[in-house]
């Protein structure tokens, strides 16, 4: 992969950044677009908010919606997927004894959101325990279906998991859940750009997304997709005026788009991120970043005795891969304190990559974007190997 692509980012010299999956920085062209919108706001705030913002959001949401296979009327901007998930939690009716089903690979913040929501009304969360490593998509679907009960009111699944980097067969999961009358909410931050996301075809009821990961949109740019059948019952996480400031026709999206005075530049700059990847070519981006993740997988196996947790296929992992490190001892102080390997990778080597303890084992997650190359991966592998020898 050509290292000169790093010139499109404002990356700190001397840092090996292999954590785009957590906090993906934007290309310079996207940063400049965001800065230009902020400057427009500062020049004449009244005109911007009252007259220009509504049409600008409409135009931006039409671009984003088209890119992800839906209509703008089904999509509203939110700062991030967590914000969107809170909206869903505020909207789904739950009664005492009801169940919300998640999987044992779900993101910790999502588990916490639904744990608190269920506790408020006397409902409960339940877990579908998935095979690791999986052998087929059918295994995943069957494990989830087996955990559905007559009390299940909603299923939460990731499109691409944060901890394990696993790509879920979300369309098949949605189809199976719908056949049993269970609506589905997908946590989808990692899938944007990494996968081909067609929201209308997936068949979910809600899709929560963050634009700052693989899509490389600005921090604070995300969206919430809501199927037409669920839009009337959608409730915002933050209650404000609930309407546009111009005279345009109202919609369910107004509750989310105006949540008080704030800078909407991240939303308005999101189309610039889409254009950046389109110009590079999406399939080329996906192939190259997967190939680098695959290289990391193989190097960690050969030189750090790492173990894979998914099959070696782009169907199971894309631009990001998580590997088990059986020779690294779990930390008793985690998550209150970072694992010693995490600390050493930064303090000794200036490498940014998450070290995750999952299912009583230590894992390292490697995220690959266009500014990364094999030399970045080699530095990480050497750091992990050195730690396993010295611990």
């Amino acid at each position: 992969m050509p290292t000169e692509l790093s010139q499109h980012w404002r990356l700190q010299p001397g840092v090996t950044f292999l954590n785009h999956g957590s906090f993906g920085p934007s290309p310079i062209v996207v940063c400049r677009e965001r800065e230009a919108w902020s400057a427009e706001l500062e020049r004449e705030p009244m005109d911007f908010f009252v007259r220009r913002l509504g049409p600008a959001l409409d135009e931006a949401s039409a671009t984003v919606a088209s890119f992800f296979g839906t209509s703008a009327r089904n999509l509203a901007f939110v700062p991030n997927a967590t914000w969107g998930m809170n909206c869903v939690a505020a909207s789904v009716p739950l009664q005492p004894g009801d169940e919300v089903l998640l999987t044992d690979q779900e993101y910790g913040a999502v588990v916490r959101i639904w744990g608190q929501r269920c506790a408020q009304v006397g409902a409960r969360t339940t877990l579908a325990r998935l095979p690791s490593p999986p052998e087929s998509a059918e295994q995943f679907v069957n494990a989830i279906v087996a955990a559905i009960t007559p009390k299940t009111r909603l299923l939460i699944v990731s499109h691409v998991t944060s901890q394990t980097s696993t790509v879920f067969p979300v369309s098949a999961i949605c189809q199976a859940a719908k056949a049993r009358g269970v609506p589905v909410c997908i946590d989808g931050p990692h899938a944007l750009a990494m996968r081909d996301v067609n929201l209308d075809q997936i068949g979910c009821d809600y899709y929560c997304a963050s634009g700052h990961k693989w899509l490389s949109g600005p921090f604070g740019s995300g969206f919430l997709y809501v199927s037409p059948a669920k839009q009337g019952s959608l409730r915002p996480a933050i209650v404000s005026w609930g309407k546009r400031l111009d005279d345009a026709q109202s919609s369910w999206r107004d509750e989310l788009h105006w949540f008080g005075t704030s800078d909407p530049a991240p939303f308005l700059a999101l189309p610039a991120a889409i254009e950046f990847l389109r110009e590079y070519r999406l399939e080329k981006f996906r192939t190259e970043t997967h190939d680098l993740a695959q290289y990391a997988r193989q190097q960690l196996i050969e030189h750090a005795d790492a173990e894979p947790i998914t099959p070696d296929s782009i169907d199971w992992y894309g631009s990001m891969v998580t590997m088990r490190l059986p020779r690294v001892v779990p930390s008793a102080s985690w998550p209150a304190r970072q694992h010693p390997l995490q600390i050493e990778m930064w303090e000794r080597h200036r490498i940014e990559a998450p070290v995750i303890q999952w299912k009583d084992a230590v894992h390292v997650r490697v995220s690959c974007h266009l500014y990364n190359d094999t030399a970045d991966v080699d530095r990480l592998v050497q750091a992990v190997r050195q730690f396993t020898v010295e611990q």
Side-chain angles (χ1 to χ4, degrees):
M1 191 179 301
T3 56
E4 61 265 21
L5 283 170
S6 62
Q7 69 183 338
H8 293 288
W9 275 264
R10 297 167 174 169
L11 296 168
Q12 182 173 326
V15 173
T16 300
F17 197 81
L18 288 164
N19 194 18
H20 203 97
S22 290
F23 311 112
S26 299
I28 293 171
V29 65
V30 178
C31 294
R32 287 175 176 164
E33 182 74 3
R34 183 198 69 217
E35 291 158 4
W37 279 111
S38 293
E40 287 291 312
L41 166 61
E42 296 291 349
R43 269 193 284 272
E44 221 287 39
M46 182 71 175
D47 180 57
F48 188 91
F49 281 129
V50 176
R51 304 178 189 94
R52 297 182 55 200
L53 179 58
L57 286 173
D58 288 343
E59 183 177 353
S61 61
T63 299
V64 174
S66 176
F67 185 72
F68 292 112
T70 190
S71 166
R73 63 177 176 270
N74 300 329
L75 183 149
F77 288 121
V78 292
N80 49 54
T82 299
W83 188 292
M85 189 65 71
N86 274 274
C87 293
V88 177
S91 305
V92 174
L94 293 174
Q95 302 294 328
D98 286 347
E99 296 175 353
V100 174
L101 176 60
L102 305 97
T103 79
D104 61 357
Q105 295 191 30
E106 194 48 70
Y107 188 54
V110 172
V111 175
R112 189 166 184 262
I113 290 167
W114 287 101
Q116 291 192 7
R117 170 70 175 122
C118 288
Q120 290 171 355
V121 298
R124 72 186 188 111
T125 58
T126 58
L127 283 182
R129 302 195 181 278
L130 304 178
S132 180
E135 295 179 358
S136 68
E138 289 75 19
Q139 274 190 321
F140 266 30
V141 176
N142 292 339
I144 290 170
V145 167
I148 293 175
T149 76
K151 297 179 180 180
T152 305
R153 299 294 173 260
L154 183 70
L155 168 63
I156 312 289
V157 294
S158 289
H159 195 158
V160 180
T161 64
S162 176
Q163 294 182 107
T164 67
S165 308
T166 305
V167 178
F168 276 30
V170 289
S171 294
I173 291 170
C174 288
Q175 184 177 0
K178 289 297 183 66
R180 291 155 181 80
V182 177
V184 181
C185 176
I186 296 177
D187 188 39
H190 287 286
L192 304 191
M194 185 199 292
R195 314 301 292 182
D196 184 17
V197 177
N198 190 311
L199 293 168
D200 286 346
Q201 291 183 7
I202 287 173
C204 61
D205 297 271
Y206 309 96
Y207 195 103
C208 306
S210 296
H212 69 265
K213 295 182 184 288
W214 306 102
L215 188 60
S216 296
F219 293 110
S221 64
F223 65 78
L224 174 63
Y225 165 87
V226 182
S227 67
K230 302 294 185 182
Q231 291 169 9
S233 59
L234 200 282
R235 298 291 176 264
I238 301 294
V239 176
S240 185
W241 289 103
K243 65 183 184 68
R244 293 170 61 132
L245 299 187
D246 58 17
D247 295 326
Q249 185 175 359
S250 64
S251 80
W252 69 274
R253 304 185 305 156
D254 299 340
E255 288 279 8
L256 281 77
H257 281 176
W258 186 261
F259 51 86
T261 304
S262 64
D263 186 353
F267 304 147
L268 301 176
L270 201 52
I274 291 173
E275 184 60 26
F276 176 82
L277 286 180
R278 271 181 170 158
E279 288 186 3
Y280 189 78
R281 297 204 313 273
L282 271 168
E283 284 307 317
K284 183 181 179 185
F285 160 77
R286 290 168 184 159
T287 298
E288 290 180 348
T289 54
H290 170 73
D291 287 349
L292 189 56
Q294 187 177 50
Y295 175 80
R297 181 186 192 271
Q298 188 60 36
Q299 293 301 302
L300 284 164
I301 291 172
E302 291 181 6
H303 301 291
D305 296 326
E307 297 174 350
I309 59 175
T310 57
D312 189 11
S313 168
I314 198 170
D315 293 334
W316 285 105
Y317 69 97
S319 310
M320 176 174 73
V321 66
T322 299
M323 299 293 291
R324 184 181 297 114
L325 302 174
R327 292 181 57 189
V328 178
V329 178
S331 171
S333 63
W334 190 92
R337 188 171 183 270
Q338 292 180 347
H339 190 278
L341 173 57
Q342 181 91 66
I343 295 171
E344 177 158 327
M345 282 199 303
W346 172 249
E347 293 184 350
R348 191 170 178 178
H349 304 282
R350 285 297 185 261
I351 296 172
E352 297 282 23
V355 175
I356 300 162
Q357 290 190 196
W358 181 68
K359 290 196 172 182
D360 300 320
V362 177
H363 302 71
V364 63
R365 194 187 74 186
V366 185
S367 300
C368 305
H369 213 281
L370 294 175
Y371 50 79
N372 295 123
D373 60 13
T374 56
D376 293 335
V377 171
D378 292 342
R379 281 190 286 272
L380 177 135
V381 173
Q382 180 59 32
V384 172
R385 181 176 183 177
Q386 187 172 340
F387 181 85
T388 60
V389 170
E390 296 178 356
Q391 71 172 346

